[in-house]
């Protein structure tokens, strides 16, 4: 019975979305910024709101019947206050703008943090705003002359660009008697890196350089010194310099040959495509962790050689966007 | 033995309370709900009988205290308390179901609801219940104290509602304090006032109720009753509560003529005067009286839970435009068709010293002469002696009044009377107050064959110069006689006036409390307070379908046409809504820092003139942009803005300069604004 009802409701919703896109604004993604104007704000009483209105109506009928003016005044005063509260809740949404949707990329299977940045028109404090996406919800508020950003966890399944989807922005502020809501469907996508292969063979060509006693070719020369960063291998430490300056310093090499690890998509032909991508992603991360310069060769493109966050991001992004 | 049992029971109770520590409402929310519930219970509790109110209040406090400490009252205890207290309420009201019993039960439920306040749902049902309790208090009483307490209760209920809903919508980052919350509710209600007023004034009223107001099970409201035993009126003299407020439309009678007629008592059993039931039937209104002074007045009568309308002397119901829905009874008292359970307003015309034509029907005459046998033999002798002297009725009346005047004294603490009360009063004690004189005089007249009756009511009243009306209090209660004289009809005779004329001229309690001591100095203040209350009574409490109709009529709207009324209602609500919306939207952002607030207000003023500051615009950049379009005040805006920037961002600003700047920012006005130049390409 319950299942039937929910299926019927889902079907009705689907019909409404198909037939009345302008009314429901559920399907079409929109460009940012999205201004929440009066034509896309919906209001319905909450369950308690319905009960409360019923109570007020009963009180009004009683007061009218007995022509009891103080009771009637009480009823009208409370009812008007409820209405003004509704107005305030509505105004809390009206004029709000969603200006930015972003999320730091994560690997598929991890949970991304979706950040939504809202901007008011600077006149009112907007309290008790609540964003919902699927099961996840978060409450935030927006003070006058300020921005607010709210974060929602977003589960990721597959690599690539993942649309943000539909977000419900609602408020029950200030009395909890009415739900004022609007649907946001921003044209925004978040990047999801490929999943990392859990067990992968060592980096290619590592047989010779497996130990830290790496032979440095004479053509390599110290290019510069920089501050130690987390994950820098010990062998790069510039010990004397560090002792002089009192903080850890590492050497950076500029190698004309430039490539310590070459990661080639074509060489992994024996694996299914998705496994290849996962392994390459793992190797890319591994190379970065060990401070090795890497080069990624994909069917259509070539990333690197290089090292560092930007390089890693470019590589993972290219992998993520492979068809 | 019993002590140990009690101790064991107490231990078990404490155990049970401690076992179930699982309250889920946060303490602050709980406290708000408790405050709202108690505030709503207060006006209703004060109206309950005797100790019932304090008991319920104590119970609610105990429950709230247990809840605050995180204890759960177990369900079996709650059930026992509910059944027990409800039974107690029924017992107190004598197992009769009336409005007051209902109010008592409602108060019980509200008080006990405080014992189970665990979840959001409980909190919300408690708050809804509280609102209903406030309404129930209004059905019992509409006095100023109830109004004040109820308003307070409503504010607290709404505030608690807002606080409770934060459980759902999240607590704001800067959570406001108690004062802040109350202020925002107050603001919400103030903003809603236009809408509430429009609804109150324009919402169509029911000309006749759909169902009747349940009566109170207990009618013992002090005041005039359908019988008069010795000492009854004395109980009223100590009571200062108002009964009537009367505005005379043209000319006020002298105060010795202000007799407000109440129940007419025609049956005497030797001790008690009582109403004759068959004389309490309506009769057709007779033709107008001749040769009389007429007074037209508007009378606002406080609720007395009875039917009597306390009109001035002989109310002439035949005058057009007066006395709607009133009836004249066989005994010439005037009654309303339903019990006066609320403040009611009448417009009446009365005749003083009028001659009402017509004859006294024989069966009425017989009742007006009837006396119990074998009572007061000495009085009967005296009357027989006077009659044998050849006196006619008028001479006899004069003789009796003369007797009272010469040999009797007015006293509020007379000696008690025995079986032959009139005999003992006339020949032995010879002191008393109005009810003794009226009773004795009426008995004497009946013995002499003159139809006579006792009238109870009020006499006199205080003239309130501020509001130009006469206030009659309970302490003005009085009793006098009326006798039937051929050719003159019923004539009012007040034997008390023969004894103590100054009692009639300046009121029963003359020289006792109102005129003397500290109250004399407060006189203007008391007058003003009563005038305010009278205004409230007439303007608000007395507003009904008829008044609404005449109000609409003065706007040129026909109240019988529902389309016009609907249109007016919609228009009024729309206007009020517009006003509310404007007030809500106008609210400029508030800042805790007066300097920032002053600056933002200044920006808001400029924005209204079309110079809106965008959110990412620095203070000085905005000032430069705005100054380009402000020929009059551009320079001062620039200097104010740079001073503001300095105050805001300098490490150690000057306090005096800061105050000065705030004042200047508040005073800043833009003057002329040039039209927007073409955007610079």
């Amino acid at each position: 019975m319950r299942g039937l009802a929910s299926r019927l409701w889902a079907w009705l919703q689907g019909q409404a979305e198909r037939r009345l896109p302008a009314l429901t604004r559920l399907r079409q993604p929109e460009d940012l910024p999205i201004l929440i104007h009066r034509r896309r704000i919906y209001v319905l009483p909450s369950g308690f709101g319905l009960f409360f209105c019923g109570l007020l109506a009963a009180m009004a009928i009683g007061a009218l019947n007995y022509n009891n003016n103080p009771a009637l005044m009480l009823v009208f005063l409370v009812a008007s206050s409820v209405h003004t509260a509704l107005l305030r809740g509505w105004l809390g949404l009206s004029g709000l703008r969603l200006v930015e949707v972003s999320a730091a990329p994560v690997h598929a299977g991890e949970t991304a943090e979706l950040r939504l940045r809202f901007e008011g028109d600077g006149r009112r404090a907007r309290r008790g705003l609540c964003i919902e996406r699927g099961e996840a919800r978060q409450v935030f508020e927006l003070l006058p002359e300020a921005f607010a950003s709210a974060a929602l966890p977003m589960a990721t399944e597959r690599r690539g660009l993942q649309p943000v989807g539909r977000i419900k922005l609602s408020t029950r502020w200030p009395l909890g008697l009415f739900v004022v809501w609007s649907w946001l469907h921003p044209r925004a996508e978040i990047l999801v890196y490929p999943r990392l292969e859990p067990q992968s063979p060592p980096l290619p060509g590592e047989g010779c350089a497996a130990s830290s006693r790496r032979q440095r070719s004479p053509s390599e020369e110290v290019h510069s010194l920089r501050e130690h960063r987390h994950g820098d291998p010990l062998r790069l430490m510039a010990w004397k310099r560090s002792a002089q300056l009192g903080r850890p310093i590492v050497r950076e090499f500029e190698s004309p040959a430039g490539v310590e690890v070459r990661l080639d998509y074509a060489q992994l032909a024996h694996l299914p495509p998705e496994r290849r991508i996962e392994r390459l992603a793992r190797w890319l991360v591994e190379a970065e962790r060990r401070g090795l310069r890497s080069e990624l060769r994909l069917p259509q493109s070539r990333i690197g050689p290089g090292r560092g966050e930007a390089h890693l991001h470019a590589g993972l992004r290219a992998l993520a966007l492979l068809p | 033995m019993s002590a140990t049992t009690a101790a064991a029971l107490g231990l078990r109770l404490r155990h049970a309370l401690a076992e179930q520590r699982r309250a889920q409402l946060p303490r602050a929310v709980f406290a708000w709900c408790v405050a709202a519930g108690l505030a709503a219970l207060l006006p209703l509790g004060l109206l309950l009988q005797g100790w019932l109110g304090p008991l319920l209040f104590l119970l609610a406090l105990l429950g709230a205290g247990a809840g605050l400490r995180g204890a759960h009252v177990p369900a079996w205890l709650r059930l026992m308390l509910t059944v027990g207290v409800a039974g107690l309420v029924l017992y107190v009201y004598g197992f009769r179901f009336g409005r007051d019993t209902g109010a008592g039960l409602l108060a019980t439920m509200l008080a006990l609801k405080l014992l189970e306040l665990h979840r959001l749902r409980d909190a919300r049902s408690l708050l809804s219940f509280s609102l209903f309790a406030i309404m129930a208090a209004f059905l019992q009483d509409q006095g100023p104290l109830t109004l004040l307490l109820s308003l307070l209760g409503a504010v607290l209920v709404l505030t608690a509602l807002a606080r409770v809903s934060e459980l759902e919508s999240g607590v704001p980052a800067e959570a406001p304090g108690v004062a802040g919350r109350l202020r925002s509710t107050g603001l919400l209600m103030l903003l809603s006032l236009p809408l509430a007023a429009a609804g109150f004034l324009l919402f169509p009223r029911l000309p006749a109720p759909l169902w009747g107001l349940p009566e109170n099970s207990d009618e013992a409201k002090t005041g005039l009753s359908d019988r008069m035993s010795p000492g009854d009126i004395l109980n009223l003299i100590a009571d200062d509560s108002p009964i009537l407020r009367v505005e005379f439309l043209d000319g006020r009678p002298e105060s010795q003529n202000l007799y407000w007629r109440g129940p007419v008592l025609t049956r005497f059993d030797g001790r008690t005067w009582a109403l004759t039931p068959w004389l309490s039937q309506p009769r057709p209104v007779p033709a107008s009286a001749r040769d009389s002074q007429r007074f037209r007045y508007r009378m606002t009568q406080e609720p007395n839970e009875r039917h009597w309308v306390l009109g001035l002397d002989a109310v002439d119901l035949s005058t057009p435009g007066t006395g709607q829905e009133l009836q004249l009874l066989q005994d010439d008292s005037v009654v309303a068709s339903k019990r006066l359970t609320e403040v009611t307003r009448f417009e009446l015309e009365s005749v003083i010293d009028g001659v009402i034509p017509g004859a006294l029907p024989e069966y009425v005459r017989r009742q007006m002469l009837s006396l119990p046998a074998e009572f007061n033999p000495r009085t009967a002798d005296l009357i027989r002696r006077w009659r044998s002297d050849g006196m006619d009725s008028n001479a006899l009346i004069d003789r009796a009044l003369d007797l009272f005047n010469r040999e009797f004294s007015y006293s509020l603490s007379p000696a008690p009377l025995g079986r032959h009360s009139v005999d003992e009063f006339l020949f032995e004690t010879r002191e008393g107050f109005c009810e003794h004189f009226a009773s004795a005089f009426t008995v004497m007249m009946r013995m002499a064959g003159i139809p006579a009756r006792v009238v109870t009511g009020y006499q006199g009243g205080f003239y309130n110069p501020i509001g130009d009306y006469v206030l009659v209090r309970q302490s003005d209660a009085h009793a006098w006689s009326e006798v039937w004289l051929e050719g003159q009809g019923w004539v009012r005779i007040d034997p008390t006036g023969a004894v103590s004329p100054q009692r009639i001229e300046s009121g029963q309690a003359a020289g006792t409390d109102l005129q003397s001591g500290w109250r004399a100095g407060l006189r203007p203040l008391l007058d003003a307070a009563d005038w305010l209350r009278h205004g409230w009574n007439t303007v608000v409490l007395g507003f009904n379908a008829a008044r609404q109709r005449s109000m609409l009529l003065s706007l040129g709207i026909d109240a019988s046409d529902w389309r016009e009324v609907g249109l007016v209602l919609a228009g009024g609500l729309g206007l009020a809504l517009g006003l509310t919306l404007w007030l809500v939207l106008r609210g400029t952002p508030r800042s805790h820092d007066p300097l920032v607030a002053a600056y933002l207000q200044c920006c808001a003023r400029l924005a209204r003139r079309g110079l809106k500051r965008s959110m990412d615009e620095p203070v000085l950049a905005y000032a430069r942009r705005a100054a380009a379009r402000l020929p009059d005040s551009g320079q001062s805006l620039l200097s104010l803005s740079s001073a503001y920037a300095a105050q805001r961002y300098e490490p150690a600003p000057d306090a005096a300069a800061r105050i000065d700047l705030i004042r200047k920012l508040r005073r800043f006005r833009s003057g002329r604004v040039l039209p927007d130049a073409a955007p610079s390409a």
Side-chain angles (χ1 to χ4, degrees):
Chain A
M1 188 65 209
R2 213 183 153 78
L4 188 71
S6 68
R7 274 221 304 284
L8 188 70
W9 177 241
W11 179 79
L12 269 177
Q13 239 178 356
Q15 286 293 316
E17 286 179 29
R18 200 162 311 135
R19 297 284 158 90
L20 306 161
L23 186 70
T24 53
R25 284 178 199 282
L26 298 176
R27 291 205 83 74
Q28 297 303 317
E30 296 169 85
D31 290 322
L32 290 173
I34 302 177
L35 173 69
I36 301 176
H37 52 82
R38 66 189 162 82
R39 294 177 59 186
R40 51 189 299 164
I41 301 179
Y42 310 101
V43 185
L44 272 183
S46 61
F48 174 60
L50 269 181
F51 169 74
F52 199 79
C53 293
L55 176 84
L56 282 180
M59 284 168 63
I61 290 174
L64 277 174
N65 186 59
Y66 301 139
N67 197 36
N68 190 314
N69 284 326
L72 209 54
M73 279 172 125
L74 175 79
V75 172
F76 277 116
L77 188 61
V78 173
S80 315
S81 300
V82 166
H83 185 271
T84 309
L86 162 67
L87 202 62
R88 286 205 153 170
W90 188 86
L91 287 171
L93 243 56
S94 166
L96 201 61
R97 260 182 308 155
L98 174 64
V99 289
E100 191 186 321
V101 178
S102 63
V106 293
H107 295 281
E110 294 174 355
T111 301
E113 197 189 51
L114 186 67
R115 299 202 76 83
L116 304 163
R117 206 156 89 114
F118 288 95
E119 214 178 81
D121 59 2
R123 299 279 303 276
R124 296 182 287 276
R126 300 153 189 270
R127 298 188 192 285
L129 300 172
C130 172
I131 46 171
E132 265 174 273
R133 188 182 170 283
E135 296 292 298
R137 65 197 291 273
Q138 206 219 338
V139 169
F140 66 104
E141 63 177 352
L142 188 60
L143 296 176
E145 308 276 337
F147 303 98
S149 50
L152 277 179
M154 179 173 167
T156 58
E157 295 275 315
R158 291 174 34 246
R159 68 187 170 85
L161 285 175
Q162 192 167 327
V164 166
R166 204 162 76 194
I167 297 166
K168 184 181 181 183
L169 174 69
S170 67
T171 180
R172 291 178 176 227
W173 188 79
L175 295 184
L177 300 172
F178 294 93
V179 192
V180 183
W181 80 94
S182 181
W183 289 105
L184 300 170
H185 197 165
R187 192 191 304 285
E189 290 156 326
I190 69 166
L191 182 65
V192 181
Y193 292 157
R195 189 187 306 272
L196 298 180
E197 197 183 28
Q199 309 275 317
S200 59
L203 290 171
E206 205 167 25
C208 55
S211 70
S212 58
R213 291 177 281 102
R214 206 180 68 117
Q215 301 296 314
R216 198 165 292 138
S217 73
S219 63
E220 281 184 17
E221 52 190 47
V222 175
H223 177 249
S224 62
L225 294 169
R226 63 169 171 81
E227 301 243 333
H228 176 268
R229 279 200 299 255
H230 190 71
D232 282 341
L234 264 185
R235 65 188 164 75
L236 292 183
M237 286 295 283
W239 294 107
K240 278 185 187 162
R241 233 18 223 156
S242 302
Q244 282 167 3
L245 292 174
R247 54 180 200 267
I249 298 292
V250 294
R251 290 175 297 234
E252 276 195 320
F253 294 95
E254 181 72 14
S255 162
V259 184
E260 289 165 296
V261 185
R262 183 160 291 125
L263 307 169
D264 195 342
Y265 185 79
Q267 276 179 5
L268 296 171
H270 58 287
L271 290 173
E274 216 43 46
R275 279 291 295 284
R276 281 196 236 180
I277 292 171
E278 288 180 9
R279 178 164 299 175
L280 287 174
R282 160 66 76 182
W283 279 346
L284 208 54
V285 171
E286 188 64 22
E288 175 65 24
R289 194 177 64 78
R290 301 192 16 201
L292 300 175
R293 292 172 62 82
S294 55
E295 184 186 23
L296 182 64
R297 290 191 176 176
L298 297 177
Q300 305 287 332
S301 57
R302 221 172 98 172
I303 315 284
R307 210 180 54 190
E309 270 178 47
H311 172 69
L312 179 67
H313 173 72
L316 287 174
R317 181 185 155 81
L319 284 171
L321 295 181
L322 274 183
Chain B
M1 182 60 207
S2 71
T4 50
T5 319
L9 195 69
L11 199 68
R12 229 186 109 197
L13 192 64
R14 191 171 297 171
H15 219 70
L17 289 180
E19 249 174 28
Q20 310 198 12
R21 278 172 194 279
R22 54 187 159 100
Q24 284 168 2
L25 281 182
R27 273 174 76 101
V29 176
F30 188 88
W32 272 109
C33 290
V34 166
L38 289 179
L41 184 61
L42 192 59
L44 194 56
L46 288 179
L47 297 171
L48 296 183
Q49 224 170 45
W51 42 267
L52 214 49
L55 173 78
L56 288 178
F57 216 74
L58 189 71
L59 211 57
L61 275 178
L62 281 179
L68 271 182
R69 293 178 56 190
H72 260 239
V73 181
W76 58 267
L77 185 60
R78 285 203 308 266
L79 186 71
M80 264 171 51
L81 278 174
T82 311
V83 172
V85 178
L88 204 63
V89 170
L90 288 180
Y91 170 75
V92 166
Y93 289 104
F95 293 97
R96 283 186 302 266
F97 284 93
R99 210 165 72 230
D100 43 1
T101 322
L105 289 176
L106 191 64
T108 310
M109 301 310 247
L110 180 57
L112 291 177
K113 186 69 197 168
L114 285 171
L115 299 186
E116 51 158 356
L117 197 57
H118 311 315
R119 281 180 293 274
L120 180 65
R121 202 186 156 85
D122 293 329
R124 288 187 159 161
S125 59
L126 172 84
L127 294 176
S128 315
F129 219 60
S130 303
L131 217 52
F132 205 72
I134 295 176
M135 157 114 179
F138 281 141
L139 290 187
Q140 290 293 84
D141 179 63
Q142 310 173 1
L145 184 66
T146 306
L147 279 168
L148 194 72
L149 290 176
S150 301
L151 187 64
L152 204 71
V155 171
L156 279 173
V157 166
L158 282 183
T159 315
L161 215 54
R163 182 68 186 86
V164 164
S165 86
E166 280 176 12
L167 290 177
E168 274 184 339
S169 63
V171 181
E174 307 169 32
V178 173
R181 284 182 189 283
L182 289 176
R183 197 164 46 233
S184 61
T185 310
L187 190 68
L188 184 72
M189 289 171 102
L190 277 181
L191 286 174
S192 317
L193 269 185
L195 196 57
F200 178 76
L201 288 176
L202 298 176
F203 198 85
R205 303 305 171 96
L206 299 175
L210 302 173
W211 70 91
L213 189 64
E215 281 163 12
N216 273 345
S217 68
D218 151 54
E219 292 176 14
K221 189 142 188 161
T222 56
L224 298 176
S225 74
D226 54 0
R227 51 186 56 243
M228 181 182 84
S229 305
D232 277 356
I233 286 190
L234 202 55
N235 294 334
L236 303 181
I237 288 177
D239 187 352
D240 246 356
S241 54
I243 294 294
L244 289 178
R245 293 185 182 81
V246 186
E247 292 166 65
F248 286 96
L249 297 184
D250 33 33
R252 188 156 51 93
E254 291 160 30
S255 76
Q256 68 261 28
N257 275 331
L258 295 174
Y259 283 85
W260 311 99
R261 277 173 106 246
V264 179
L265 310 177
T266 48
R267 209 163 44 138
F268 187 54
D269 66 358
R271 178 175 171 77
T272 301
W273 281 93
L275 225 58
T276 309
W278 61 266
L279 280 177
S280 304
Q281 301 300 323
R283 74 171 167 110
V285 176
S288 289
R290 289 177 280 107
D291 309 335
S292 53
Q293 269 186 293
R294 291 182 162 267
F295 293 95
R296 190 151 176 161
Y297 52 94
R298 268 192 222 109
M299 182 170 92
T300 317
Q301 189 169 331
E302 295 281 327
N304 58 6
E305 302 281 336
R306 291 168 200 284
H307 294 267
W308 292 302
V309 175
L310 304 165
L312 178 69
D313 232 11
V315 176
D316 187 353
L317 291 179
S318 62
T319 314
T322 65
Q324 278 99 354
E325 296 178 20
L326 298 187
Q327 286 175 328
L328 189 66
L329 299 189
Q330 296 275 4
D331 58 16
D332 294 322
S333 53
V334 177
V335 294
S337 50
K338 61 181 176 105
R339 279 170 194 266
L340 302 172
T341 51
E342 57 198 32
V343 173
T344 322
R345 228 163 113 84
F346 305 101
E347 184 161 337
L348 298 173
E349 187 161 286
S350 282
V351 176
I352 289 182
D353 293 337
V355 176
I356 298 174
L360 196 62
E362 188 49 37
Y363 60 97
V364 180
R365 166 183 290 269
R366 212 175 305 133
Q367 176 64 35
M368 297 299 177
L369 287 172
S370 74
L371 282 173
E374 299 175 14
F375 276 90
N376 307 312
R378 296 169 67 190
T379 314
D381 278 346
L382 177 73
I383 299 299
R384 219 171 292 125
R385 216 164 45 241
W386 286 357
R387 268 295 190 203
S388 63
D389 289 349
M391 287 187 201
D392 64 352
S393 298
N394 281 322
L396 211 101
I397 292 167
D398 288 341
R399 182 82 180 79
L401 291 178
D402 186 51
L403 175 74
F404 286 150
N405 188 11
R406 274 188 293 109
E407 298 179 20
F408 284 69
S409 58
Y410 185 81
S411 160
L412 286 177
S413 50
L417 301 173
R419 181 168 190 273
H420 300 287
S421 53
V422 179
D423 276 4
E424 287 172 35
F425 174 68
L426 281 184
F427 300 103
E428 284 157 33
T429 62
R430 298 196 168 187
E431 57 173 16
F433 53 95
C434 59
E435 63 181 32
H436 298 97
F437 292 106
S439 174
F441 183 79
T442 310
V443 168
M444 287 162 79
M445 290 303 114
R446 286 188 175 190
M447 283 173 170
I450 305 171
R453 59 193 183 187
V454 172
V455 182
T456 56
Y458 299 89
Q459 197 280 319
F462 290 97
Y463 176 67
N464 186 323
I466 299 176
D468 187 28
Y469 61 90
V470 173
L471 165 68
V472 181
R473 298 169 188 276
Q474 192 73 272
S475 54
D476 295 318
H478 192 50
W480 61 94
S481 302
E482 282 178 351
V483 295
W484 175 270
L485 298 176
E486 289 305 327
Q488 290 184 54
W490 287 104
V491 174
R492 163 170 39 83
I493 309 274
D494 187 359
T496 315
V499 181
S500 168
Q502 121 270 358
R503 152 72 186 86
I504 302 306
E505 274 153 30
S506 55
Q508 189 105 340
T512 52
D513 63 346
L514 273 178
Q515 308 289 322
S516 68
W518 57 274
R519 293 186 78 152
L522 288 180
R523 197 67 235 208
L525 211 64
L526 292 174
D527 279 352
D530 191 77
W531 173 68
L532 281 179
R533 178 148 188 206
H534 177 53
W536 175 260
N537 280 354
T538 38
V539 173
V540 178
L541 298 187
F543 191 80
N544 54 15
R547 293 265 306 279
Q548 189 179 39
R549 198 173 312 127
S550 66
M551 182 192 82
L552 288 177
L553 206 61
S554 68
L555 296 173
I557 293 145
D558 176 14
S560 58
D561 184 356
W562 60 270
R563 272 167 309 185
E564 278 187 38
V565 174
L567 221 60
V568 167
L569 179 65
L573 289 182
L575 268 180
L577 211 60
L579 183 59
T580 302
L581 193 63
W582 182 69
L583 287 171
V584 171
L585 286 178
R586 204 172 165 277
T588 44
R590 287 205 165 267
S591 174
H592 290 302
D593 185 344
L595 180 64
V596 178
Y599 179 71
L600 290 181
Q601 266 170 18
C602 188
C603 289
R605 274 198 294 275
L606 283 171
R608 280 203 283 278
R609 305 293 307 271
L611 289 164
K612 194 172 180 327
R613 179 184 168 211
S614 70
M615 249 170 82
D616 49 2
E617 200 167 19
V619 172
L620 292 177
Y622 172 58
R624 274 194 296 277
R625 184 169 68 88
R629 288 175 56 194
L630 296 172
D632 302 334
S633 58
Q635 279 312 310
S636 84
L637 178 66
L638 278 174
S639 67
L640 282 176
S641 296
S642 59
Y644 174 73
Q647 280 287 338
R648 287 281 282 163
Y649 305 116
E650 260 175 22
D654 177 6
R658 182 185 158 85
I659 293 167
D660 187 50
L661 180 59
I662 292 174
R663 211 178 50 239
K664 279 184 182 156
L665 277 172
R666 281 182 187 155
R667 264 200 248 129
F668 175 80
R669 292 293 181 274
S670 56
R672 266 185 313 133
V673 179
L674 296 181
D676 199 355
S680 52

